[in-house]
Amino acid sequence: MAKVKNIYSCNACGAQFPQWSGQCGECKAWNSLIETVSVSPQASEKHPRFSGYAGDAQVQSLDEVEIDAEHRFITKLSELDRVLGGGLVKGSVVLIGGDPGIGKSTLLLQTLASVSESVPSLYVTGEESPQQISLRAKRLGINGQQIRLLAETHVERIIKLAQKENPNVIVIDSVQTIYTEILQSAPGNVAQLRESTAMLVRYAKQTGTSLLLVGHVTKEGTLAGPRVLEHMVDTVLYFEGDNNSQYRVLRATKNRFGAVNELGMFAMMEDGLHTVSNPSAIFLSRHDSSVSGSIITVTKEGSRPLLVEVQSLVDESPLPNPRRVTVGLEQNRLTMLLAVLHRHGGISTYNQDVFVNVVGGMRISEPAADLPTLLSIISSLKDRPLPKSLVVFGEVGLAGEIRPIQSGQDRLREAAKHGFQNAIIPAANMPKEKIEGLNIIAVKRLSDAVNYTE
Ligand code: TYD
Ligand code: MG
């Protein structure tokens, strides 16, 4: 084993120290020192962390690079394939984050079950015992013969065993439990995460093995550990959804081999995850009659339009600083929208608590939700329901103008397909041809839209 020396380096300025301290001696940043390894490359060729820097790389022209024609594994979970951009790329590293209990392990076990029918695969568990995995597999009705299982958290041993087994696809559940012997810090710690992931990534790239890593998320909903984890991998997916609803959304936030913001829809059932291939209306709650504060919008993240319900509740506030709470939307955006509503719509909410919720655990990050959000707020404030047959989308600018959004036509067609009869949309999104069954109201300014709700 090569001699490896541990040092502490500052995340902010890169200065190195032999010992940890709370403050960096160079740049004075607090809490920025993390354990790293310092070693000369030739001293450690045997160690997987450092091997692979062989000096035989050559400069070549781009055309000469050979590409494996069949370079994707189709997982047969159609929604996962779609989010990955058409299957799992050979030698790629995919990180899947999500709340505990959302179904990451279930998703990956089902993926392996399907992939292992054609290629050898390995499931490395650091969290659950082989018995637990086996129990889950039984519940899912998976034939476990093809799936190899390893309960191990020591990354050097994982790589050694992987080299022996030589699987094409490996699942690591989860990276937070994996540790390397070259660092003394505890598993899950930033330095451990970075080093062990680096080793696994290098192994994947060298051998052409596809790697699926499970990552935990923090309370704020981002992947635990440093951003570097997201830089090191090829694809970052988030598995989200409301724990109380059976629907789950798989979302790509980074993808070197496909489009980002593509969504995959799943339903968690008794017998595992099922893909939902026609999801456009699953996020609507079915009210018998129209209720105030509820509105339907059409979002389009990725390549499919989705009908989603936005609900607002506006209620007189006893607080000096009334609350602005959003679930599934950005909170700062709401504050901004309320200011626009006051200035350009003449409706004030300074003494009201405003709660906005996107139904079904869906998260909308595009500005097309601006106008529906405001109209639902007005509807709740005035306790005046909007017609059930209405869809609304559009971005609201700070000057009170309604700005166009992309793929307006697709959204309108989707709404028409589901029987909606009225639409309030930005004037610039007005389709040239009439859309069957849809009465379109084009608005240029927020005040026009507000007048419509009168
Ligand atoms: P799991 O995959 O263990 O979540 P994670 O790895 O993200 O923590 O999923 C656990 C949840 O899924 C658990 O609350 C039970 C539920 N579940 C089902 O509803 N049906 C099933 O068939 C399985 C296996 C799990
Ligand atoms: Mg799990």
Side-chain angles (χ1 to χ4, degrees), residues 99-106 123 127-128 136 173-174 214 216:
D99 289 336
I102 202 77
K104 302 179 294 294
S105 306
T106 309
Y123 191 108
E127 270 173 16
E128 292 165 294
R136 177 180 292 130
D173 190 1
S174 65
V214 174
H216 291 176

Side-chain angles (χ1 to χ4, degrees), residues 28 45 92 101 117 125 136 142 156 175 186 188 231 256 276 286 330 361 450 452:
K28 309 290 177 215
E45 266 157 13
S92 72
E117 284 171 16
T125 168
R136 177 180 292 130
I142 287 173
E156 284 84 359
V175 276
H231 291 298
R256 288 188 180 144
V276 181
R286 314 254 171 226
E330 216 184 306
V450 171
Y452 178 82

